[in-house]
Amino acid sequence: MKHSSGQEPRHIAIIMDGNGRWARRRGLPRIEGHRRGIEAARQVVRAAGDTELRYLTLFAFSVENWQRPRDEVNALMDLLHHFLREERRYLLENRIRLRCIGRIEDLPERVNTQIRDIIEETSTFEGRTLVIALNYGARTEVLDAVRSYCRAVTEGEEDLDQCGWEQFSRHLYTGADIPDPDLILRTSGESRLSNFLLLQSAYSEIYFSPVLWPDFNREEFMQAIQYYKQRERRFGKTGDQVCPAVPETAQSLT
Ligand code: IPE
Ligand code: IPE
Ligand code: MG
């Protein structure tokens, strides 16, 4: 018999992929796909507010995405600026905290300033957190974490002999406060993680949707949550350990 936890996910992280193909199939420029992708992101942020989810992470721009044509990168930065301007009000009204993971200091100054301002304005909100992965790469994150950890050792804030995962992982961009994602969701039918949250996803469930991101919507998102609820997470243990079978005597009493 298959046991599923039936538990609601606390943190879903999404690789929003397929904007370019969505546009190409319609004979439109790639940027039009990104524009529609912003609408999908908005819809999913709202859908998440109707669930028990506490953390939603959206992968918006990778460290590798700088290699795209300059026009596309510039357009993505413009769209991001526009998205954040509109979302700011929503975050404030709904008391959602904004966090960013990635080297945001290397983004254009106006985007960097805007993000820092919203992070500051929403920093005291406790219920829900929207995390945007921007100029993010998992390998860059590990290198930054090693540097940060070593600096802390030099300054006497960390003790190398006491280094465990808890001590090291607080130097990752996700810090001590963002839990590992329960579910990683990638759209557009690609079955790869593309340098996204490689350490934090050690025990995440993974859901690949064939839908291109601009077509992704509330229903697709709820389907992914249903998929998650049917998984049995074992973390290295046996199925019986994580979900003990009901003893026969107990069964006959019910
Ligand atoms: C995802 O869509 C958006 C970003 C990576 C910024 P893509 O632009 O990667 O779309 P495809 O994969 O080319 O279809
Ligand atoms: C991953 O998508 C990055 C984001 C969704 C922001 P890519 O489209 O860049 O990934 P690859 O290149 O297909 O692996
Ligand atoms: Mg892609």
Side-chain angles (χ1 to χ4, degrees), residues 8-10 12 14 40-58 87 90-91 94-96 127-130 218 221-222 225:
E8 295 285 338
R10 188 162 59 138
I12 295 184
I14 307 183
R42 225 186 280 287
Q43 202 177 131
V44 167
V45 170
R46 299 214 175 7
D50 296 333
T51 69
E52 291 176 32
L53 211 60
R54 299 279 305 271
Y55 298 83
L56 175 69
T57 296
L58 300 177
E87 286 308 280
Y90 180 80
L91 297 177
N94 292 277
R95 303 185 66 75
I96 300 170
R128 293 181 194 268
T129 303
L130 173 65
R218 171 181 287 265
F221 184 65
M222 296 304 178
I225 293 183

PDB file of all heavy atoms in Angstrom, residues 8-10 12 14 40-58 87 90-91 94-96 127-130 218 221-222 225:
ATOM      1  N   GLU A   8       0.368  19.638   3.241  1.00  0.00           N
ATOM      2  CA  GLU A   8       0.480  20.813   2.380  1.00  0.00           C
ATOM      3  C   GLU A   8       1.950  21.212   2.265  1.00  0.00           C
ATOM      4  O   GLU A   8       2.671  21.157   3.265  1.00  0.00           O
ATOM      5  CB  GLU A   8      -0.278  21.990   2.997  1.00  0.00           C
ATOM      6  CG  GLU A   8      -1.785  21.804   3.111  1.00  0.00           C
ATOM      7  CD  GLU A   8      -2.496  21.954   1.778  1.00  0.00           C
ATOM      8  OE1 GLU A   8      -1.925  22.596   0.869  1.00  0.00           O
ATOM      9  OE2 GLU A   8      -3.612  21.435   1.650  1.00  0.00           O
ATOM     10  N   PRO A   9       2.397  21.628   1.082  1.00  0.00           N
ATOM     11  CA  PRO A   9       3.771  22.127   1.003  1.00  0.00           C
ATOM     12  C   PRO A   9       3.891  23.470   1.723  1.00  0.00           C
ATOM     13  O   PRO A   9       2.950  24.250   1.755  1.00  0.00           O
ATOM     14  CB  PRO A   9       4.004  22.295  -0.500  1.00  0.00           C
ATOM     15  CG  PRO A   9       2.633  22.456  -1.082  1.00  0.00           C
ATOM     16  CD  PRO A   9       1.695  21.691  -0.189  1.00  0.00           C
ATOM     17  N   ARG A  10       5.063  23.683   2.297  1.00  0.00           N
ATOM     18  CA  ARG A  10       5.313  24.974   2.957  1.00  0.00           C
ATOM     19  C   ARG A  10       6.042  25.912   2.005  1.00  0.00           C
ATOM     20  O   ARG A  10       5.899  27.113   2.035  1.00  0.00           O
ATOM     21  CB  ARG A  10       6.174  24.697   4.199  1.00  0.00           C
ATOM     22  CG  ARG A  10       6.371  25.885   5.099  1.00  0.00           C
ATOM     23  CD  ARG A  10       6.834  25.447   6.462  1.00  0.00           C
ATOM     24  NE  ARG A  10       8.082  24.704   6.386  1.00  0.00           N
ATOM     25  CZ  ARG A  10       9.099  24.866   7.240  1.00  0.00           C
ATOM     26  NH1 ARG A  10       8.999  25.754   8.198  1.00  0.00           N
ATOM     27  NH2 ARG A  10      10.202  24.151   7.137  1.00  0.00           N
ATOM     28  N   ILE A  12       7.285  26.226  -2.170  1.00  0.00           N
ATOM     29  CA  ILE A  12       7.382  25.769  -3.561  1.00  0.00           C
ATOM     30  C   ILE A  12       8.321  26.724  -4.302  1.00  0.00           C
ATOM     31  O   ILE A  12       8.218  27.951  -4.164  1.00  0.00           O
ATOM     32  CB  ILE A  12       6.003  25.752  -4.262  1.00  0.00           C
ATOM     33  CG1 ILE A  12       5.077  24.722  -3.589  1.00  0.00           C
ATOM     34  CG2 ILE A  12       6.144  25.429  -5.754  1.00  0.00           C
ATOM     35  CD1 ILE A  12       3.729  24.555  -4.252  1.00  0.00           C
ATOM     36  N   ILE A  14       9.771  27.686  -8.134  1.00  0.00           N
ATOM     37  CA  ILE A  14       9.376  27.469  -9.534  1.00  0.00           C
ATOM     38  C   ILE A  14      10.441  27.944 -10.525  1.00  0.00           C
ATOM     39  O   ILE A  14      10.919  29.083 -10.452  1.00  0.00           O
ATOM     40  CB  ILE A  14       8.054  28.209  -9.846  1.00  0.00           C
ATOM     41  CG1 ILE A  14       6.974  27.815  -8.830  1.00  0.00           C
ATOM     42  CG2 ILE A  14       7.582  27.901 -11.262  1.00  0.00           C
ATOM     43  CD1 ILE A  14       5.612  28.438  -9.081  1.00  0.00           C
ATOM     44  N   ALA A  40       1.642  35.429 -15.863  1.00  0.00           N
ATOM     45  CA  ALA A  40       1.531  34.108 -15.222  1.00  0.00           C
ATOM     46  C   ALA A  40       2.105  34.171 -13.799  1.00  0.00           C
ATOM     47  O   ALA A  40       1.534  33.601 -12.863  1.00  0.00           O
ATOM     48  CB  ALA A  40       2.265  33.065 -16.057  1.00  0.00           C
ATOM     49  N   ALA A  41       3.219  34.879 -13.659  1.00  0.00           N
ATOM     50  CA  ALA A  41       3.843  34.994 -12.331  1.00  0.00           C
ATOM     51  C   ALA A  41       2.881  35.684 -11.362  1.00  0.00           C
ATOM     52  O   ALA A  41       2.703  35.258 -10.218  1.00  0.00           O
ATOM     53  CB  ALA A  41       5.155  35.763 -12.438  1.00  0.00           C
ATOM     54  N   ARG A  42       2.251  36.740 -11.841  1.00  0.00           N
ATOM     55  CA  ARG A  42       1.301  37.481 -11.017  1.00  0.00           C
ATOM     56  C   ARG A  42       0.161  36.558 -10.555  1.00  0.00           C
ATOM     57  O   ARG A  42      -0.242  36.569  -9.404  1.00  0.00           O
ATOM     58  CB  ARG A  42       0.713  38.606 -11.866  1.00  0.00           C
ATOM     59  CG  ARG A  42       0.652  39.926 -11.158  1.00  0.00           C
ATOM     60  CD  ARG A  42      -0.074  40.933 -12.030  1.00  0.00           C
ATOM     61  NE  ARG A  42       0.748  41.514 -13.072  1.00  0.00           N
ATOM     62  CZ  ARG A  42       1.710  42.418 -12.854  1.00  0.00           C
ATOM     63  NH1 ARG A  42       1.949  42.820 -11.638  1.00  0.00           N
ATOM     64  NH2 ARG A  42       2.399  42.905 -13.839  1.00  0.00           N
ATOM     65  N   GLN A  43      -0.320  35.756 -11.510  1.00  0.00           N
ATOM     66  CA  GLN A  43      -1.432  34.852 -11.205  1.00  0.00           C
ATOM     67  C   GLN A  43      -1.027  33.808 -10.148  1.00  0.00           C
ATOM     68  O   GLN A  43      -1.800  33.503  -9.238  1.00  0.00           O
ATOM     69  CB  GLN A  43      -1.876  34.141 -12.492  1.00  0.00           C
ATOM     70  CG  GLN A  43      -3.293  33.632 -12.400  1.00  0.00           C
ATOM     71  CD  GLN A  43      -3.772  32.987 -13.696  1.00  0.00           C
ATOM     72  OE1 GLN A  43      -4.304  31.905 -13.664  1.00  0.00           O
ATOM     73  NE2 GLN A  43      -3.591  33.638 -14.825  1.00  0.00           N
ATOM     74  N   VAL A  44       0.180  33.288 -10.278  1.00  0.00           N
ATOM     75  CA  VAL A  44       0.635  32.257  -9.341  1.00  0.00           C
ATOM     76  C   VAL A  44       0.875  32.858  -7.946  1.00  0.00           C
ATOM     77  O   VAL A  44       0.553  32.232  -6.941  1.00  0.00           O
ATOM     78  CB  VAL A  44       1.884  31.534  -9.894  1.00  0.00           C
ATOM     79  CG1 VAL A  44       2.569  30.698  -8.834  1.00  0.00           C
ATOM     80  CG2 VAL A  44       1.491  30.655 -11.083  1.00  0.00           C
ATOM     81  N   VAL A  45       1.387  34.075  -7.893  1.00  0.00           N
ATOM     82  CA  VAL A  45       1.572  34.732  -6.590  1.00  0.00           C
ATOM     83  C   VAL A  45       0.217  34.860  -5.895  1.00  0.00           C
ATOM     84  O   VAL A  45       0.075  34.582  -4.687  1.00  0.00           O
ATOM     85  CB  VAL A  45       2.239  36.125  -6.751  1.00  0.00           C
ATOM     86  CG1 VAL A  45       2.211  36.911  -5.438  1.00  0.00           C
ATOM     87  CG2 VAL A  45       3.677  35.984  -7.241  1.00  0.00           C
ATOM     88  N   ARG A  46      -0.816  35.208  -6.668  1.00  0.00           N
ATOM     89  CA  ARG A  46      -2.152  35.345  -6.070  1.00  0.00           C
ATOM     90  C   ARG A  46      -2.708  33.985  -5.661  1.00  0.00           C
ATOM     91  O   ARG A  46      -3.317  33.848  -4.605  1.00  0.00           O
ATOM     92  CB  ARG A  46      -3.110  36.030  -7.039  1.00  0.00           C
ATOM     93  CG  ARG A  46      -2.525  37.427  -7.321  1.00  0.00           C
ATOM     94  CD  ARG A  46      -3.139  38.517  -7.543  1.00  0.00           C
ATOM     95  NE  ARG A  46      -2.458  39.781  -7.696  1.00  0.00           N
ATOM     96  CZ  ARG A  46      -1.171  40.090  -7.769  1.00  0.00           C
ATOM     97  NH1 ARG A  46      -0.232  39.184  -7.678  1.00  0.00           N
ATOM     98  NH2 ARG A  46      -0.774  41.328  -7.920  1.00  0.00           N
ATOM     99  N   ALA A  47      -2.507  32.982  -6.507  1.00  0.00           N
ATOM    100  CA  ALA A  47      -3.000  31.630  -6.185  1.00  0.00           C
ATOM    101  C   ALA A  47      -2.328  31.121  -4.904  1.00  0.00           C
ATOM    102  O   ALA A  47      -2.983  30.508  -4.055  1.00  0.00           O
ATOM    103  CB  ALA A  47      -2.723  30.678  -7.345  1.00  0.00           C
ATOM    104  N   ALA A  48      -1.043  31.407  -4.759  1.00  0.00           N
ATOM    105  CA  ALA A  48      -0.313  30.949  -3.566  1.00  0.00           C
ATOM    106  C   ALA A  48      -0.934  31.539  -2.299  1.00  0.00           C
ATOM    107  O   ALA A  48      -0.970  30.888  -1.249  1.00  0.00           O
ATOM    108  CB  ALA A  48       1.161  31.341  -3.662  1.00  0.00           C
ATOM    109  N   GLY A  49      -1.478  32.739  -2.427  1.00  0.00           N
ATOM    110  CA  GLY A  49      -2.117  33.399  -1.287  1.00  0.00           C
ATOM    111  C   GLY A  49      -3.383  32.687  -0.839  1.00  0.00           C
ATOM    112  O   GLY A  49      -3.864  32.892   0.273  1.00  0.00           O
ATOM    113  N   ASP A  50      -3.934  31.831  -1.695  1.00  0.00           N
ATOM    114  CA  ASP A  50      -5.140  31.074  -1.343  1.00  0.00           C
ATOM    115  C   ASP A  50      -4.808  29.670  -0.847  1.00  0.00           C
ATOM    116  O   ASP A  50      -5.689  28.819  -0.770  1.00  0.00           O
ATOM    117  CB  ASP A  50      -6.066  30.965  -2.573  1.00  0.00           C
ATOM    118  CG  ASP A  50      -6.556  32.337  -3.006  1.00  0.00           C
ATOM    119  OD1 ASP A  50      -6.634  33.232  -2.146  1.00  0.00           O
ATOM    120  OD2 ASP A  50      -6.840  32.505  -4.210  1.00  0.00           O
ATOM    121  N   THR A  51      -3.539  29.412  -0.592  1.00  0.00           N
ATOM    122  CA  THR A  51      -3.124  28.094  -0.095  1.00  0.00           C
ATOM    123  C   THR A  51      -2.440  28.281   1.261  1.00  0.00           C
ATOM    124  O   THR A  51      -2.342  29.406   1.753  1.00  0.00           O
ATOM    125  CB  THR A  51      -2.109  27.426  -1.054  1.00  0.00           C
ATOM    126  OG1 THR A  51      -0.887  28.174  -0.991  1.00  0.00           O
ATOM    127  CG2 THR A  51      -2.614  27.399  -2.487  1.00  0.00           C
ATOM    128  N   GLU A  52      -1.957  27.179   1.813  1.00  0.00           N
ATOM    129  CA  GLU A  52      -1.239  27.289   3.096  1.00  0.00           C
ATOM    130  C   GLU A  52       0.254  27.536   2.916  1.00  0.00           C
ATOM    131  O   GLU A  52       1.025  27.502   3.866  1.00  0.00           O
ATOM    132  CB  GLU A  52      -1.464  26.007   3.904  1.00  0.00           C
ATOM    133  CG  GLU A  52      -2.894  25.898   4.375  1.00  0.00           C
ATOM    134  CD  GLU A  52      -3.183  24.602   5.097  1.00  0.00           C
ATOM    135  OE1 GLU A  52      -2.275  24.074   5.752  1.00  0.00           O
ATOM    136  OE2 GLU A  52      -4.319  24.129   4.974  1.00  0.00           O
ATOM    137  N   LEU A  53       0.635  27.772   1.672  1.00  0.00           N
ATOM    138  CA  LEU A  53       2.050  27.995   1.361  1.00  0.00           C
ATOM    139  C   LEU A  53       2.597  29.203   2.121  1.00  0.00           C
ATOM    140  O   LEU A  53       1.969  30.247   2.154  1.00  0.00           O
ATOM    141  CB  LEU A  53       2.154  28.266  -0.138  1.00  0.00           C
ATOM    142  CG  LEU A  53       3.410  27.834  -0.866  1.00  0.00           C
ATOM    143  CD1 LEU A  53       3.588  26.328  -0.740  1.00  0.00           C
ATOM    144  CD2 LEU A  53       3.288  28.211  -2.331  1.00  0.00           C
ATOM    145  N   ARG A  54       3.783  29.051   2.708  1.00  0.00           N
ATOM    146  CA  ARG A  54       4.400  30.178   3.414  1.00  0.00           C
ATOM    147  C   ARG A  54       5.492  30.837   2.567  1.00  0.00           C
ATOM    148  O   ARG A  54       5.792  32.015   2.727  1.00  0.00           O
ATOM    149  CB  ARG A  54       5.028  29.689   4.724  1.00  0.00           C
ATOM    150  CG  ARG A  54       4.028  29.063   5.695  1.00  0.00           C
ATOM    151  CD  ARG A  54       3.276  30.120   6.467  1.00  0.00           C
ATOM    152  NE  ARG A  54       4.180  31.021   7.161  1.00  0.00           N
ATOM    153  CZ  ARG A  54       4.633  30.819   8.391  1.00  0.00           C
ATOM    154  NH1 ARG A  54       4.274  29.756   9.043  1.00  0.00           N
ATOM    155  NH2 ARG A  54       5.427  31.700   8.965  1.00  0.00           N
ATOM    156  N   TYR A  55       6.122  30.043   1.690  1.00  0.00           N
ATOM    157  CA  TYR A  55       7.220  30.558   0.871  1.00  0.00           C
ATOM    158  C   TYR A  55       6.988  30.181  -0.588  1.00  0.00           C
ATOM    159  O   TYR A  55       6.731  29.010  -0.887  1.00  0.00           O
ATOM    160  CB  TYR A  55       8.571  29.958   1.310  1.00  0.00           C
ATOM    161  CG  TYR A  55       8.938  30.305   2.727  1.00  0.00           C
ATOM    162  CD1 TYR A  55       8.429  29.558   3.785  1.00  0.00           C
ATOM    163  CD2 TYR A  55       9.767  31.381   2.995  1.00  0.00           C
ATOM    164  CE1 TYR A  55       8.752  29.888   5.101  1.00  0.00           C
ATOM    165  CE2 TYR A  55      10.098  31.710   4.306  1.00  0.00           C
ATOM    166  CZ  TYR A  55       9.581  30.963   5.351  1.00  0.00           C
ATOM    167  OH  TYR A  55       9.902  31.285   6.642  1.00  0.00           O
ATOM    168  N   LEU A  56       7.095  31.152  -1.451  1.00  0.00           N
ATOM    169  CA  LEU A  56       7.028  30.893  -2.887  1.00  0.00           C
ATOM    170  C   LEU A  56       8.284  31.506  -3.489  1.00  0.00           C
ATOM    171  O   LEU A  56       8.559  32.698  -3.306  1.00  0.00           O
ATOM    172  CB  LEU A  56       5.790  31.565  -3.496  1.00  0.00           C
ATOM    173  CG  LEU A  56       5.677  31.463  -5.021  1.00  0.00           C
ATOM    174  CD1 LEU A  56       5.398  30.025  -5.448  1.00  0.00           C
ATOM    175  CD2 LEU A  56       4.558  32.373  -5.542  1.00  0.00           C
ATOM    176  N   THR A  57       9.059  30.677  -4.192  1.00  0.00           N
ATOM    177  CA  THR A  57      10.273  31.200  -4.830  1.00  0.00           C
ATOM    178  C   THR A  57      10.096  31.155  -6.339  1.00  0.00           C
ATOM    179  O   THR A  57       9.657  30.135  -6.892  1.00  0.00           O
ATOM    180  CB  THR A  57      11.510  30.362  -4.422  1.00  0.00           C
ATOM    181  OG1 THR A  57      11.707  30.504  -3.015  1.00  0.00           O
ATOM    182  CG2 THR A  57      12.769  30.842  -5.137  1.00  0.00           C
ATOM    183  N   LEU A  58      10.407  32.255  -7.000  1.00  0.00           N
ATOM    184  CA  LEU A  58      10.312  32.323  -8.462  1.00  0.00           C
ATOM    185  C   LEU A  58      11.703  32.563  -9.040  1.00  0.00           C
ATOM    186  O   LEU A  58      12.370  33.546  -8.692  1.00  0.00           O
ATOM    187  CB  LEU A  58       9.379  33.476  -8.871  1.00  0.00           C
ATOM    188  CG  LEU A  58       7.941  33.410  -8.361  1.00  0.00           C
ATOM    189  CD1 LEU A  58       7.168  34.667  -8.791  1.00  0.00           C
ATOM    190  CD2 LEU A  58       7.209  32.154  -8.870  1.00  0.00           C
ATOM    191  N   GLU A  87       3.850  44.901  -8.168  1.00  0.00           N
ATOM    192  CA  GLU A  87       3.684  43.937  -7.079  1.00  0.00           C
ATOM    193  C   GLU A  87       3.889  44.571  -5.707  1.00  0.00           C
ATOM    194  O   GLU A  87       3.383  44.057  -4.711  1.00  0.00           O
ATOM    195  CB  GLU A  87       4.658  42.760  -7.232  1.00  0.00           C
ATOM    196  CG  GLU A  87       4.289  41.797  -8.327  1.00  0.00           C
ATOM    197  CD  GLU A  87       2.858  41.287  -8.235  1.00  0.00           C
ATOM    198  OE1 GLU A  87       2.582  40.378  -7.455  1.00  0.00           O
ATOM    199  OE2 GLU A  87       1.999  41.844  -8.961  1.00  0.00           O
ATOM    200  N   TYR A  90       0.739  45.129  -3.929  1.00  0.00           N
ATOM    201  CA  TYR A  90       0.126  43.858  -3.545  1.00  0.00           C
ATOM    202  C   TYR A  90       0.815  43.277  -2.299  1.00  0.00           C
ATOM    203  O   TYR A  90       0.166  42.808  -1.364  1.00  0.00           O
ATOM    204  CB  TYR A  90       0.182  42.850  -4.700  1.00  0.00           C
ATOM    205  CG  TYR A  90      -0.435  41.522  -4.364  1.00  0.00           C
ATOM    206  CD1 TYR A  90      -1.823  41.348  -4.408  1.00  0.00           C
ATOM    207  CD2 TYR A  90       0.347  40.448  -3.950  1.00  0.00           C
ATOM    208  CE1 TYR A  90      -2.405  40.133  -4.060  1.00  0.00           C
ATOM    209  CE2 TYR A  90      -0.222  39.232  -3.599  1.00  0.00           C
ATOM    210  CZ  TYR A  90      -1.590  39.083  -3.668  1.00  0.00           C
ATOM    211  OH  TYR A  90      -2.155  37.886  -3.311  1.00  0.00           O
ATOM    212  N   LEU A  91       2.147  43.342  -2.296  1.00  0.00           N
ATOM    213  CA  LEU A  91       2.903  42.791  -1.162  1.00  0.00           C
ATOM    214  C   LEU A  91       2.587  43.568   0.121  1.00  0.00           C
ATOM    215  O   LEU A  91       2.365  42.982   1.174  1.00  0.00           O
ATOM    216  CB  LEU A  91       4.412  42.842  -1.446  1.00  0.00           C
ATOM    217  CG  LEU A  91       4.914  41.997  -2.628  1.00  0.00           C
ATOM    218  CD1 LEU A  91       6.417  42.204  -2.823  1.00  0.00           C
ATOM    219  CD2 LEU A  91       4.619  40.522  -2.425  1.00  0.00           C
ATOM    220  N   ASN A  94      -1.034  42.880   1.307  1.00  0.00           N
ATOM    221  CA  ASN A  94      -1.241  41.522   1.805  1.00  0.00           C
ATOM    222  C   ASN A  94      -0.192  41.083   2.812  1.00  0.00           C
ATOM    223  O   ASN A  94      -0.136  39.923   3.200  1.00  0.00           O
ATOM    224  CB  ASN A  94      -1.307  40.549   0.631  1.00  0.00           C
ATOM    225  CG  ASN A  94      -2.555  40.778  -0.203  1.00  0.00           C
ATOM    226  OD1 ASN A  94      -3.615  40.285   0.136  1.00  0.00           O
ATOM    227  ND2 ASN A  94      -2.428  41.574  -1.244  1.00  0.00           N
ATOM    228  N   ARG A  95       0.617  42.036   3.240  1.00  0.00           N
ATOM    229  CA  ARG A  95       1.646  41.781   4.257  1.00  0.00           C
ATOM    230  C   ARG A  95       2.532  40.594   3.901  1.00  0.00           C
ATOM    231  O   ARG A  95       2.715  39.658   4.684  1.00  0.00           O
ATOM    232  CB  ARG A  95       1.007  41.601   5.648  1.00  0.00           C
ATOM    233  CG  ARG A  95       0.166  42.804   6.071  1.00  0.00           C
ATOM    234  CD  ARG A  95      -0.368  42.686   7.465  1.00  0.00           C
ATOM    235  NE  ARG A  95       0.671  42.707   8.494  1.00  0.00           N
ATOM    236  CZ  ARG A  95       1.334  43.789   8.891  1.00  0.00           C
ATOM    237  NH1 ARG A  95       1.069  44.958   8.339  1.00  0.00           N
ATOM    238  NH2 ARG A  95       2.258  43.718   9.819  1.00  0.00           N
ATOM    239  N   ILE A  96       3.035  40.614   2.669  1.00  0.00           N
ATOM    240  CA  ILE A  96       3.942  39.567   2.188  1.00  0.00           C
ATOM    241  C   ILE A  96       5.357  40.140   2.170  1.00  0.00           C
ATOM    242  O   ILE A  96       5.589  41.233   1.648  1.00  0.00           O
ATOM    243  CB  ILE A  96       3.546  39.090   0.770  1.00  0.00           C
ATOM    244  CG1 ILE A  96       2.124  38.515   0.795  1.00  0.00           C
ATOM    245  CG2 ILE A  96       4.545  38.057   0.235  1.00  0.00           C
ATOM    246  CD1 ILE A  96       1.550  38.231  -0.576  1.00  0.00           C
ATOM    247  N   GLY A 127       3.911  36.440   7.879  1.00  0.00           N
ATOM    248  CA  GLY A 127       3.113  35.300   7.416  1.00  0.00           C
ATOM    249  C   GLY A 127       3.657  34.598   6.183  1.00  0.00           C
ATOM    250  O   GLY A 127       3.932  33.404   6.189  1.00  0.00           O
ATOM    251  N   ARG A 128       3.816  35.363   5.108  1.00  0.00           N
ATOM    252  CA  ARG A 128       4.220  34.767   3.834  1.00  0.00           C
ATOM    253  C   ARG A 128       5.440  35.482   3.273  1.00  0.00           C
ATOM    254  O   ARG A 128       5.601  36.687   3.485  1.00  0.00           O
ATOM    255  CB  ARG A 128       3.088  34.888   2.809  1.00  0.00           C
ATOM    256  CG  ARG A 128       1.876  34.053   3.152  1.00  0.00           C
ATOM    257  CD  ARG A 128       0.828  34.221   2.087  1.00  0.00           C
ATOM    258  NE  ARG A 128      -0.452  33.713   2.530  1.00  0.00           N
ATOM    259  CZ  ARG A 128      -0.871  32.475   2.323  1.00  0.00           C
ATOM    260  NH1 ARG A 128      -0.138  31.628   1.667  1.00  0.00           N
ATOM    261  NH2 ARG A 128      -2.060  32.086   2.759  1.00  0.00           N
ATOM    262  N   THR A 129       6.217  34.727   2.516  1.00  0.00           N
ATOM    263  CA  THR A 129       7.407  35.312   1.898  1.00  0.00           C
ATOM    264  C   THR A 129       7.439  34.979   0.418  1.00  0.00           C
ATOM    265  O   THR A 129       7.252  33.823   0.026  1.00  0.00           O
ATOM    266  CB  THR A 129       8.688  34.761   2.569  1.00  0.00           C
ATOM    267  OG1 THR A 129       8.644  35.030   3.970  1.00  0.00           O
ATOM    268  CG2 THR A 129       9.935  35.392   1.981  1.00  0.00           C
ATOM    269  N   LEU A 130       7.644  36.003  -0.393  1.00  0.00           N
ATOM    270  CA  LEU A 130       7.887  35.799  -1.819  1.00  0.00           C
ATOM    271  C   LEU A 130       9.393  35.946  -2.013  1.00  0.00           C
ATOM    272  O   LEU A 130       9.983  36.960  -1.649  1.00  0.00           O
ATOM    273  CB  LEU A 130       7.139  36.857  -2.652  1.00  0.00           C
ATOM    274  CG  LEU A 130       7.444  36.855  -4.152  1.00  0.00           C
ATOM    275  CD1 LEU A 130       6.957  35.554  -4.810  1.00  0.00           C
ATOM    276  CD2 LEU A 130       6.777  38.054  -4.849  1.00  0.00           C
ATOM    277  N   ARG A 218      -3.453  29.290 -12.320  1.00  0.00           N
ATOM    278  CA  ARG A 218      -3.897  28.843 -11.000  1.00  0.00           C
ATOM    279  C   ARG A 218      -4.205  27.348 -10.970  1.00  0.00           C
ATOM    280  O   ARG A 218      -3.789  26.631 -10.055  1.00  0.00           O
ATOM    281  CB  ARG A 218      -5.144  29.656 -10.627  1.00  0.00           C
ATOM    282  CG  ARG A 218      -5.869  29.194  -9.384  1.00  0.00           C
ATOM    283  CD  ARG A 218      -7.082  30.067  -9.175  1.00  0.00           C
ATOM    284  NE  ARG A 218      -6.685  31.373  -8.715  1.00  0.00           N
ATOM    285  CZ  ARG A 218      -6.639  31.720  -7.420  1.00  0.00           C
ATOM    286  NH1 ARG A 218      -6.980  30.867  -6.500  1.00  0.00           N
ATOM    287  NH2 ARG A 218      -6.254  32.919  -7.065  1.00  0.00           N
ATOM    288  N   PHE A 221      -1.143  25.255 -11.078  1.00  0.00           N
ATOM    289  CA  PHE A 221      -0.438  25.391  -9.797  1.00  0.00           C
ATOM    290  C   PHE A 221      -1.083  24.492  -8.738  1.00  0.00           C
ATOM    291  O   PHE A 221      -0.401  23.784  -7.989  1.00  0.00           O
ATOM    292  CB  PHE A 221      -0.476  26.865  -9.378  1.00  0.00           C
ATOM    293  CG  PHE A 221       0.291  27.179  -8.134  1.00  0.00           C
ATOM    294  CD1 PHE A 221       1.672  27.030  -8.097  1.00  0.00           C
ATOM    295  CD2 PHE A 221      -0.360  27.627  -6.993  1.00  0.00           C
ATOM    296  CE1 PHE A 221       2.386  27.322  -6.951  1.00  0.00           C
ATOM    297  CE2 PHE A 221       0.351  27.925  -5.848  1.00  0.00           C
ATOM    298  CZ  PHE A 221       1.726  27.774  -5.823  1.00  0.00           C
ATOM    299  N   MET A 222      -2.414  24.503  -8.708  1.00  0.00           N
ATOM    300  CA  MET A 222      -3.122  23.667  -7.726  1.00  0.00           C
ATOM    301  C   MET A 222      -2.877  22.178  -8.022  1.00  0.00           C
ATOM    302  O   MET A 222      -2.773  21.377  -7.098  1.00  0.00           O
ATOM    303  CB  MET A 222      -4.630  23.991  -7.725  1.00  0.00           C
ATOM    304  CG  MET A 222      -4.943  25.415  -7.292  1.00  0.00           C
ATOM    305  SD  MET A 222      -4.260  25.821  -5.641  1.00  0.00           S
ATOM    306  CE  MET A 222      -4.727  27.548  -5.457  1.00  0.00           C
ATOM    307  N   ILE A 225       0.320  21.154  -6.489  1.00  0.00           N
ATOM    308  CA  ILE A 225       0.175  20.965  -5.037  1.00  0.00           C
ATOM    309  C   ILE A 225      -0.456  19.597  -4.754  1.00  0.00           C
ATOM    310  O   ILE A 225      -0.025  18.867  -3.848  1.00  0.00           O
ATOM    311  CB  ILE A 225      -0.641  22.116  -4.401  1.00  0.00           C
ATOM    312  CG1 ILE A 225       0.172  23.418  -4.508  1.00  0.00           C
ATOM    313  CG2 ILE A 225      -0.999  21.802  -2.944  1.00  0.00           C
ATOM    314  CD1 ILE A 225      -0.462  24.623  -3.862  1.00  0.00           C
TER     315      ILE A 225
END
